[in-house]
Amino acid sequence: MAGFGRSVSDLALGIKFVMKIGQTLKETGGASEDYQESAEFLRCLELTLRNLERLAAKKPDRKAGGPSLDPAISTALSVLPEACTIQRHGQSGFTSTSKITVTIDGEIKDFFLKTGPTGDMFEGEHTSLQALRATVPTLCPASLTHGQLSNSRDHFLLTEFLDMSPHARSSTSATLAQKLAQLHTAPAPTPAGHATAMFGFPTTTFCGATAQDNTYRASWAEFFAQNRLRAIAAAVVRNQGADGGLVTWVDRVVAEVVPALLREGHLGGEAGIVPVLVHGDLWSGNKAVGRVSGWGGSEDVVFDPSSCYAHSEYELGIMKMFGGFSAAFFDEYHRLVPKTEPVEEYADRVELYELYHHLNHCVLFGGGYRDGAVDIMKKLCRKYGRK
Protein backbone atom coordinates (compact mmCIF):
# COMPACT_ATOMS: atom_id res chain seq x y z
CA MET A 1 0.00 0.00 0.00
CA ALA A 2 2.91 2.32 0.58
CA GLY A 3 3.40 2.62 -3.16
CA PHE A 4 0.26 4.70 -3.30
CA GLY A 5 1.54 7.10 -0.66
CA ARG A 6 -1.26 6.13 1.68
CA SER A 7 -1.54 3.67 4.57
CA VAL A 8 -4.20 1.00 4.83
CA SER A 9 -5.88 3.19 7.46
CA ASP A 10 -6.04 6.09 4.99
CA LEU A 11 -7.66 3.86 2.40
CA ALA A 12 -10.16 2.49 4.90
CA LEU A 13 -11.14 5.99 5.96
CA GLY A 14 -11.64 6.98 2.34
CA ILE A 15 -13.77 3.93 1.70
CA LYS A 16 -15.83 4.65 4.80
CA PHE A 17 -16.49 8.16 3.47
CA VAL A 18 -17.67 6.73 0.15
CA MET A 19 -19.93 4.33 2.03
CA LYS A 20 -21.46 7.24 3.92
CA ILE A 21 -22.28 8.91 0.59
CA GLY A 22 -23.74 5.66 -0.71
CA GLN A 23 -25.94 5.28 2.37
CA THR A 24 -27.19 8.85 2.01
CA LEU A 25 -28.05 8.28 -1.65
CA LYS A 26 -29.78 5.01 -0.80
CA GLU A 27 -31.93 6.71 1.84
CA THR A 28 -32.95 9.40 -0.62
CA GLY A 29 -33.57 6.92 -3.43
CA GLY A 30 -30.91 8.54 -5.56
CA ALA A 31 -28.47 5.63 -5.89
CA SER A 32 -28.73 3.12 -8.71
CA GLU A 33 -28.62 -0.62 -8.16
CA ASP A 34 -25.16 -0.69 -9.72
CA TYR A 35 -23.97 1.95 -7.29
CA GLN A 36 -25.34 -0.01 -4.35
CA GLU A 37 -23.44 -3.10 -5.52
CA SER A 38 -20.28 -0.98 -5.68
CA ALA A 39 -20.94 0.33 -2.18
CA GLU A 40 -21.33 -3.22 -0.87
CA PHE A 41 -18.02 -4.14 -2.47
CA LEU A 42 -16.34 -1.16 -0.82
CA ARG A 43 -17.79 -2.16 2.56
CA CYS A 44 -16.29 -5.62 2.23
CA LEU A 45 -13.00 -4.16 1.04
CA GLU A 46 -12.84 -1.85 4.05
CA LEU A 47 -13.22 -4.79 6.40
CA THR A 48 -10.54 -6.73 4.55
CA LEU A 49 -8.09 -3.80 4.55
CA ARG A 50 -8.54 -3.22 8.27
CA ASN A 51 -7.89 -6.85 9.04
CA LEU A 52 -4.88 -7.04 6.72
CA GLU A 53 -3.51 -4.02 8.57
CA ARG A 54 -4.00 -5.90 11.84
CA LEU A 55 -2.26 -8.98 10.45
CA ALA A 56 0.63 -6.93 9.12
CA ALA A 57 1.08 -5.23 12.49
CA LYS A 58 1.63 -8.63 14.09
CA LYS A 59 4.50 -9.59 11.78
CA PRO A 60 7.89 -9.44 13.50
CA ASP A 61 10.39 -6.89 12.29
CA ARG A 62 13.26 -8.25 10.20
CA LYS A 63 16.84 -7.13 10.40
CA ALA A 64 17.73 -4.06 8.41
CA GLY A 65 19.91 -6.15 6.13
CA GLY A 66 16.84 -7.90 4.73
CA PRO A 67 16.08 -11.60 4.51
CA SER A 68 18.85 -14.14 4.05
CA LEU A 69 18.73 -17.11 1.69
CA ASP A 70 18.08 -20.38 3.45
CA PRO A 71 20.29 -23.31 2.34
CA ALA A 72 17.17 -25.30 1.39
CA ILE A 73 16.46 -22.72 -1.32
CA SER A 74 19.95 -22.64 -2.78
CA THR A 75 19.94 -26.44 -2.78
CA ALA A 76 16.59 -26.46 -4.62
CA LEU A 77 18.08 -24.12 -7.22
CA SER A 78 21.34 -26.12 -7.41
CA VAL A 79 23.44 -23.01 -6.84
CA LEU A 80 25.77 -21.73 -4.14
CA PRO A 81 24.21 -19.21 -1.71
CA GLU A 82 26.71 -16.54 -2.79
CA ALA A 83 25.36 -16.79 -6.36
CA CYS A 84 21.95 -15.58 -5.15
CA THR A 85 20.41 -12.36 -3.88
CA ILE A 86 17.07 -12.14 -2.12
CA GLN A 87 14.81 -9.16 -1.50
CA ARG A 88 11.30 -8.71 -0.21
CA HIS A 89 8.78 -8.57 -3.00
CA GLY A 90 5.02 -8.13 -2.94
CA GLN A 91 2.63 -8.40 -0.02
CA SER A 92 0.62 -11.22 1.49
CA GLY A 93 -1.64 -11.37 4.51
CA PHE A 94 -0.65 -14.94 5.34
CA THR A 95 2.93 -15.54 4.08
CA SER A 96 6.23 -13.72 3.51
CA THR A 97 7.16 -13.16 -0.14
CA SER A 98 10.52 -12.52 -1.80
CA LYS A 99 12.26 -12.27 -5.16
CA ILE A 100 15.39 -14.37 -5.67
CA THR A 101 17.89 -13.43 -8.36
CA VAL A 102 20.37 -16.10 -9.40
CA THR A 103 23.32 -16.01 -11.79
CA ILE A 104 23.73 -19.34 -13.60
CA ASP A 105 26.41 -19.69 -16.31
CA GLY A 106 26.45 -15.92 -16.66
CA GLU A 107 22.67 -15.70 -17.12
CA ILE A 108 20.51 -13.85 -14.59
CA LYS A 109 17.29 -15.60 -13.58
CA ASP A 110 14.56 -14.54 -11.17
CA PHE A 111 12.38 -16.73 -8.94
CA PHE A 112 9.52 -16.09 -6.51
CA LEU A 113 9.58 -17.40 -2.95
CA LYS A 114 6.87 -17.74 -0.32
CA THR A 115 7.64 -18.75 3.25
CA GLY A 116 5.40 -19.44 6.21
CA PRO A 117 4.60 -21.85 9.02
CA THR A 118 2.09 -24.10 7.22
CA GLY A 119 3.61 -26.73 4.96
CA ASP A 120 0.24 -28.05 3.82
CA MET A 121 -0.59 -24.61 2.44
CA PHE A 122 2.39 -24.66 0.11
CA GLU A 123 1.84 -28.27 -0.89
CA GLY A 124 -1.71 -27.36 -1.90
CA GLU A 125 -0.62 -24.30 -3.86
CA HIS A 126 2.21 -26.24 -5.51
CA THR A 127 -0.19 -28.99 -6.63
CA SER A 128 -2.74 -26.40 -7.77
CA LEU A 129 -0.20 -24.48 -9.87
CA GLN A 130 1.07 -27.70 -11.41
CA ALA A 131 -2.46 -28.75 -12.40
CA LEU A 132 -3.34 -25.31 -13.81
CA ARG A 133 -0.08 -25.09 -15.76
CA ALA A 134 -0.52 -28.61 -17.20
CA THR A 135 -4.04 -27.75 -18.39
CA VAL A 136 -3.43 -24.22 -19.72
CA PRO A 137 0.34 -23.66 -20.10
CA THR A 138 0.28 -19.85 -20.08
CA LEU A 139 -2.31 -19.42 -17.33
CA CYS A 140 0.10 -19.21 -14.38
CA PRO A 141 3.75 -19.38 -13.32
CA ALA A 142 5.10 -22.89 -12.82
CA SER A 143 5.71 -24.10 -9.29
CA LEU A 144 9.20 -25.58 -9.01
CA THR A 145 9.23 -27.14 -5.57
CA HIS A 146 8.14 -26.80 -1.96
CA GLY A 147 9.48 -28.06 1.36
CA GLN A 148 10.84 -27.14 4.77
CA LEU A 149 13.54 -24.57 5.33
CA SER A 150 16.86 -25.74 6.77
CA ASN A 151 17.35 -22.97 9.34
CA SER A 152 13.74 -22.55 10.42
CA ARG A 153 10.59 -24.47 11.21
CA ASP A 154 8.93 -22.54 8.38
CA HIS A 155 8.16 -24.00 4.97
CA PHE A 156 8.58 -22.58 1.47
CA LEU A 157 7.17 -22.54 -2.05
CA LEU A 158 9.43 -21.71 -5.00
CA THR A 159 7.94 -20.70 -8.36
CA GLU A 160 8.85 -18.96 -11.58
CA PHE A 161 8.95 -15.19 -11.23
CA LEU A 162 6.01 -13.30 -12.73
CA ASP A 163 7.20 -9.96 -14.10
CA MET A 164 4.25 -7.55 -14.06
CA SER A 165 6.14 -4.52 -15.37
CA PRO A 166 4.90 -3.23 -18.76
CA HIS A 167 5.79 -5.47 -21.71
CA ALA A 168 4.35 -6.02 -25.15
CA ARG A 169 1.71 -8.73 -25.17
CA SER A 170 2.51 -12.06 -26.73
CA SER A 171 1.30 -12.21 -30.34
CA THR A 172 -0.39 -15.54 -29.63
CA SER A 173 -1.84 -14.68 -26.21
CA ALA A 174 -5.40 -15.66 -25.38
CA THR A 175 -7.64 -13.56 -23.17
CA LEU A 176 -8.27 -14.58 -19.59
CA ALA A 177 -11.85 -15.47 -20.52
CA GLN A 178 -10.56 -17.80 -23.23
CA LYS A 179 -8.02 -19.39 -20.89
CA LEU A 180 -10.60 -19.88 -18.17
CA ALA A 181 -12.94 -21.46 -20.70
CA GLN A 182 -10.17 -23.83 -21.77
CA LEU A 183 -9.58 -24.73 -18.11
CA HIS A 184 -13.27 -25.30 -17.44
CA THR A 185 -13.83 -27.57 -20.43
CA ALA A 186 -10.83 -29.87 -19.96
CA PRO A 187 -11.86 -33.26 -18.56
CA ALA A 188 -10.64 -34.00 -15.05
CA PRO A 189 -8.29 -36.96 -14.67
CA THR A 190 -9.47 -40.11 -12.95
CA PRO A 191 -7.77 -40.26 -9.55
CA ALA A 192 -5.97 -43.40 -8.42
CA GLY A 193 -8.32 -45.92 -6.86
CA HIS A 194 -11.41 -44.61 -8.61
CA ALA A 195 -13.14 -45.71 -11.81
CA THR A 196 -14.22 -42.25 -12.97
CA ALA A 197 -13.34 -38.60 -12.49
CA MET A 198 -14.33 -37.28 -9.06
CA PHE A 199 -15.08 -33.98 -7.37
CA GLY A 200 -12.23 -33.01 -5.04
CA PHE A 201 -8.44 -32.74 -5.23
CA PRO A 202 -5.44 -34.88 -4.27
CA THR A 203 -4.23 -32.46 -1.56
CA THR A 204 -5.60 -30.11 1.05
CA THR A 205 -5.73 -26.55 -0.30
CA PHE A 206 -6.09 -23.22 1.48
CA CYS A 207 -8.44 -20.38 0.64
CA GLY A 208 -6.64 -17.58 2.42
CA ALA A 209 -5.57 -19.25 5.66
CA THR A 210 -8.51 -21.67 5.69
CA ALA A 211 -7.71 -25.33 5.08
CA GLN A 212 -10.08 -27.01 2.62
CA ASP A 213 -10.80 -30.75 2.83
CA ASN A 214 -10.83 -31.98 -0.77
CA THR A 215 -11.62 -35.64 -0.11
CA TYR A 216 -12.99 -37.06 -3.36
CA ARG A 217 -16.74 -37.52 -3.78
CA ALA A 218 -18.74 -38.76 -6.74
CA SER A 219 -21.55 -36.23 -6.12
CA TRP A 220 -20.99 -32.50 -6.62
CA ALA A 221 -23.96 -31.68 -4.38
CA GLU A 222 -22.47 -33.80 -1.62
CA PHE A 223 -18.99 -32.32 -2.06
CA PHE A 224 -20.25 -28.74 -1.95
CA ALA A 225 -22.57 -29.39 1.00
CA GLN A 226 -20.12 -31.30 3.16
CA ASN A 227 -16.60 -30.29 2.07
CA ARG A 228 -17.44 -26.65 1.63
CA LEU A 229 -20.58 -25.40 3.45
CA ARG A 230 -20.59 -27.60 6.55
CA ALA A 231 -16.80 -27.46 6.80
CA ILE A 232 -16.69 -23.66 6.62
CA ALA A 233 -19.54 -23.31 9.14
CA ALA A 234 -17.51 -25.42 11.57
CA ALA A 235 -14.49 -23.18 10.89
CA VAL A 236 -16.55 -20.07 11.71
CA VAL A 237 -17.41 -21.58 15.09
CA ARG A 238 -13.78 -22.54 15.78
CA ASN A 239 -12.42 -19.11 14.87
CA GLN A 240 -15.21 -16.75 15.91
CA GLY A 241 -17.07 -18.65 18.65
CA ALA A 242 -20.43 -20.38 18.88
CA ASP A 243 -23.01 -19.06 16.43
CA GLY A 244 -26.12 -21.21 16.57
CA GLY A 245 -28.10 -18.89 14.33
CA LEU A 246 -25.59 -19.02 11.48
CA VAL A 247 -25.11 -22.79 11.77
CA THR A 248 -28.89 -23.27 11.66
CA TRP A 249 -29.07 -21.30 8.42
CA VAL A 250 -26.23 -23.34 6.91
CA ASP A 251 -28.05 -26.53 7.92
CA ARG A 252 -31.16 -25.30 6.12
CA VAL A 253 -29.21 -24.43 2.99
CA VAL A 254 -27.58 -27.88 2.97
CA ALA A 255 -30.89 -29.67 3.55
CA GLU A 256 -33.10 -27.60 1.24
CA VAL A 257 -31.27 -25.31 -1.17
CA VAL A 258 -28.38 -27.56 -2.23
CA PRO A 259 -30.70 -30.44 -3.27
CA ALA A 260 -33.01 -28.02 -5.06
CA LEU A 261 -30.25 -26.46 -7.14
CA LEU A 262 -27.44 -29.03 -7.36
CA ARG A 263 -29.04 -32.49 -7.17
CA GLU A 264 -28.07 -35.12 -9.71
CA GLY A 265 -30.55 -35.31 -12.57
CA HIS A 266 -31.41 -31.63 -12.17
CA LEU A 267 -28.14 -29.70 -12.50
CA GLY A 268 -27.06 -30.09 -16.11
CA GLY A 269 -30.21 -31.99 -17.04
CA GLU A 270 -30.03 -35.67 -17.91
CA ALA A 271 -26.38 -35.37 -18.96
CA GLY A 272 -25.42 -33.88 -15.59
CA ILE A 273 -22.11 -32.13 -14.99
CA VAL A 274 -18.53 -33.36 -14.99
CA PRO A 275 -15.72 -32.22 -12.67
CA VAL A 276 -13.32 -29.65 -14.14
CA LEU A 277 -10.32 -27.89 -12.67
CA VAL A 278 -10.96 -24.50 -11.06
CA HIS A 279 -8.58 -21.91 -9.62
CA GLY A 280 -10.71 -21.78 -6.48
CA ASP A 281 -9.91 -18.25 -5.25
CA LEU A 282 -10.13 -16.15 -8.39
CA TRP A 283 -10.93 -12.68 -7.10
CA SER A 284 -9.54 -9.71 -9.01
CA GLY A 285 -6.46 -9.51 -6.79
CA ASN A 286 -5.33 -12.93 -8.00
CA LYS A 287 -5.17 -12.04 -11.69
CA ALA A 288 -2.81 -9.79 -13.63
CA VAL A 289 -1.01 -9.25 -16.91
CA GLY A 290 2.55 -10.49 -16.64
CA ARG A 291 5.43 -12.33 -18.23
CA VAL A 292 7.39 -15.40 -17.23
CA SER A 293 10.85 -15.94 -18.68
CA GLY A 294 10.59 -17.81 -21.97
CA TRP A 295 7.07 -16.67 -22.85
CA GLY A 296 8.24 -13.88 -25.15
CA GLY A 297 5.51 -11.43 -24.14
CA SER A 298 2.94 -10.63 -21.48
CA GLU A 299 -0.11 -12.81 -20.88
CA ASP A 300 -3.27 -12.72 -18.80
CA VAL A 301 -2.31 -14.81 -15.78
CA VAL A 302 -3.58 -15.97 -12.40
CA PHE A 303 -1.81 -16.92 -9.16
CA ASP A 304 -2.43 -17.92 -5.52
CA PRO A 305 -4.79 -20.79 -6.45
CA SER A 306 -6.66 -23.14 -4.13
CA SER A 307 -7.80 -25.57 -6.79
CA CYS A 308 -10.16 -28.50 -6.89
CA TYR A 309 -12.15 -30.42 -9.47
CA ALA A 310 -15.61 -28.88 -9.28
CA HIS A 311 -18.62 -27.59 -11.18
CA SER A 312 -17.27 -24.89 -13.50
CA GLU A 313 -19.69 -22.27 -12.14
CA TYR A 314 -18.22 -22.70 -8.65
CA GLU A 315 -15.34 -20.53 -9.93
CA LEU A 316 -17.71 -17.64 -10.55
CA GLY A 317 -18.86 -17.19 -6.94
CA ILE A 318 -15.88 -15.20 -5.70
CA MET A 319 -15.47 -13.52 -9.09
CA LYS A 320 -18.94 -12.04 -8.66
CA MET A 321 -18.47 -11.31 -4.94
CA PHE A 322 -15.77 -8.68 -5.29
CA GLY A 323 -16.19 -7.59 -8.90
CA GLY A 324 -13.28 -6.75 -11.14
CA PHE A 325 -14.59 -8.86 -14.05
CA SER A 326 -16.60 -6.94 -16.61
CA ALA A 327 -19.85 -7.87 -18.31
CA ALA A 328 -17.83 -8.22 -21.52
CA PHE A 329 -15.59 -10.76 -19.77
CA PHE A 330 -18.57 -12.92 -18.79
CA ASP A 331 -20.14 -12.55 -22.24
CA GLU A 332 -16.94 -13.83 -23.84
CA TYR A 333 -16.57 -16.62 -21.30
CA HIS A 334 -20.15 -17.84 -21.67
CA ARG A 335 -19.93 -17.90 -25.45
CA LEU A 336 -17.32 -20.60 -24.87
CA VAL A 337 -18.78 -22.18 -21.72
CA PRO A 338 -22.58 -21.93 -21.82
CA LYS A 339 -24.44 -21.52 -18.56
CA THR A 340 -25.40 -24.86 -17.05
CA GLU A 341 -29.00 -25.96 -17.26
CA PRO A 342 -31.38 -24.91 -15.83
CA VAL A 343 -30.17 -21.55 -17.14
CA GLU A 344 -32.90 -19.71 -15.24
CA GLU A 345 -31.27 -20.83 -11.96
CA TYR A 346 -27.77 -19.67 -12.97
CA ALA A 347 -27.73 -16.49 -10.86
CA ASP A 348 -28.95 -18.34 -7.78
CA ARG A 349 -26.35 -21.09 -8.21
CA VAL A 350 -23.56 -18.53 -8.47
CA GLU A 351 -24.89 -16.78 -5.36
CA LEU A 352 -24.92 -20.13 -3.55
CA TYR A 353 -21.27 -20.60 -4.49
CA GLU A 354 -20.54 -17.02 -3.42
CA LEU A 355 -21.99 -17.87 0.00
CA TYR A 356 -19.01 -20.10 0.72
CA HIS A 357 -16.63 -17.16 0.30
CA HIS A 358 -18.71 -14.88 2.54
CA LEU A 359 -18.50 -17.55 5.23
CA ASN A 360 -14.76 -17.97 4.66
CA HIS A 361 -14.21 -14.22 5.01
CA CYS A 362 -16.15 -14.44 8.27
CA VAL A 363 -13.65 -17.10 9.39
CA LEU A 364 -10.67 -14.96 8.37
CA PHE A 365 -11.78 -11.45 9.24
CA GLY A 366 -14.66 -11.64 11.69
CA GLY A 367 -18.33 -10.93 11.87
CA GLY A 368 -18.51 -8.13 9.33
CA TYR A 369 -19.13 -10.73 6.64
CA ARG A 370 -21.68 -12.68 8.66
CA ASP A 371 -24.59 -10.43 7.72
CA GLY A 372 -23.86 -10.83 4.02
CA ALA A 373 -23.78 -14.62 4.40
CA VAL A 374 -27.04 -14.70 6.35
CA ASP A 375 -28.75 -12.43 3.81
CA ILE A 376 -27.81 -14.83 1.00
CA MET A 377 -29.03 -17.84 2.97
CA LYS A 378 -32.35 -16.18 3.85
CA LYS A 379 -32.90 -15.21 0.21
CA LEU A 380 -32.16 -18.68 -1.14
CA CYS A 381 -34.23 -20.41 1.54
CA ARG A 382 -37.22 -18.18 0.77
CA LYS A 383 -37.01 -19.19 -2.86
CA TYR A 384 -35.96 -22.84 -2.67
CA GLY A 385 -36.62 -23.90 0.93
CA ARG A 386 -39.51 -26.01 2.15
CA LYS A 387 -42.69 -23.99 2.37
Side-chain angles (χ1 to χ4, degrees):
M1 296 300 172
F4 293 98
R6 296 289 184 269
S7 68
V8 173
S9 295
D10 293 332
L11 288 173
L13 288 171
I15 292 168
K16 195 169 184 179
F17 175 70
V18 173
M19 290 298 300
K20 185 175 182 180
I21 296 174
Q23 182 61 34
T24 302
L25 289 171
K26 182 177 180 181
E27 291 170 355
T28 61
S32 68
E33 181 179 351
D34 286 344
Y35 189 93
Q36 293 304 316
E37 291 177 356
S38 298
E40 174 64 16
F41 162 67
L42 290 173
R43 183 183 72 83
C44 292
L45 183 57
E46 178 191 10
L47 290 168
T48 302
L49 288 170
R50 288 192 183 280
N51 281 282
L52 285 176
E53 181 182 40
R54 174 176 55 81
L55 288 169
K58 291 183 178 180
K59 289 185 177 180
D61 292 334
R62 297 187 182 269
K63 295 180 181 179
S68 59
L69 188 67
D70 188 276
I73 308 303
S74 57
T75 299
L77 293 170
S78 300
V79 296
L80 295 173
E82 53 266 29
C84 307
T85 61
I86 180 171
Q87 58 183 328
R88 299 182 193 91
H89 181 85
Q91 292 182 345
S92 171
F94 310 105
T95 63
S96 297
T97 54
S98 303
K99 176 183 178 181
I100 298 173
T101 301
V102 181
T103 302
I104 302 175
D105 296 329
E107 182 181 358
I108 296 176
K109 293 186 177 181
D110 294 325
F111 300 90
F112 183 70
L113 175 70
K114 284 186 176 182
T115 59
T118 309
D120 287 349
M121 176 182 289
F122 296 136
E123 180 184 15
E125 185 171 348
H126 171 77
T127 309
S128 296
L129 286 169
Q130 284 189 319
L132 292 171
R133 183 67 174 257
T135 308
V136 185
T138 60
L139 182 58
C140 65
S143 181
L144 305 177
T145 188
H146 69 96
Q148 185 163 3
L149 296 172
S150 298
N151 296 335
S152 167
R153 292 183 178 180
D154 279 357
H155 297 257
F156 72 90
L157 174 73
L158 185 66
T159 75
E160 292 178 320
F161 184 77
L162 180 62
D163 182 0
M164 290 186 279
S165 59
H167 292 283
R169 292 185 72 95
S170 170
S171 60
T172 59
S173 66
T175 66
L176 182 57
Q178 291 168 342
K179 292 182 180 183
L180 205 62
Q182 182 181 347
L183 183 71
H184 291 170
T185 52
T190 299
H194 297 273
T196 61
M198 305 287 284
F199 297 98
F201 205 60
T203 63
T204 297
T205 52
F206 285 70
C207 194
T210 303
Q212 298 179 129
D213 175 13
N214 292 316
T215 301
Y216 286 117
R217 295 181 186 266
S219 163
W220 168 244
E222 189 72 9
F223 180 89
F224 183 71
Q226 303 301 329
N227 296 54
R228 289 298 181 264
L229 290 184
R230 286 202 190 280
I232 202 65
V236 171
V237 173
R238 286 195 303 271
N239 282 32
Q240 305 298 336
D243 192 334
L246 183 140
V247 172
T248 297
W249 277 112
V250 171
D251 287 342
R252 279 200 64 187
V253 169
V254 167
E256 302 172 28
V257 179
V258 169
L261 289 175
L262 306 184
R263 70 184 183 276
E264 189 174 348
H266 177 74
L267 181 63
E270 292 185 7
I273 62 167
V274 296
V276 298
L277 185 63
V278 298
H279 176 286
D281 191 17
L282 191 52
W283 68 291
S284 59
N286 283 344
K287 69 178 178 74
V289 175
R291 183 181 69 165
V292 168
S293 177
W295 281 4
S298 291
E299 298 268 355
D300 286 317
V301 293
V302 300
F303 39 85
D304 292 349
S306 57
S307 293
C308 66
Y309 295 101
H311 178 210
S312 59
E313 290 175 355
Y314 173 67
E315 190 87 277
L316 311 184
I318 196 165
M319 294 169 68
K320 296 273 190 177
M321 177 177 175
F322 284 126
F325 296 86
S326 67
F329 173 93
F330 285 106
D331 287 344
E332 181 182 12
Y333 171 79
H334 282 305
R335 282 195 295 270
L336 300 168
V337 184
K339 297 174 182 177
T340 305
E341 295 289 346
V343 173
E344 62 271 17
E345 294 174 358
Y346 165 83
D348 293 325
R349 287 194 302 270
V350 173
E351 193 162 25
L352 176 63
Y353 297 150
E354 181 183 332
L355 168 63
Y356 170 74
H357 295 285
H358 280 269
L359 291 168
N360 186 41
H361 277 68
C362 185
V363 172
L364 298 173
F365 303 121
Y369 289 93
R370 182 188 185 279
D371 292 344
V374 171
D375 286 346
I376 291 173
M377 291 189 282
K378 287 180 177 180
K379 174 185 173 182
L380 293 174
C381 284
R382 282 196 300 269
K383 189 168 184 179
Y384 296 101
R386 300 187 188 105
K387 306 304 180 186

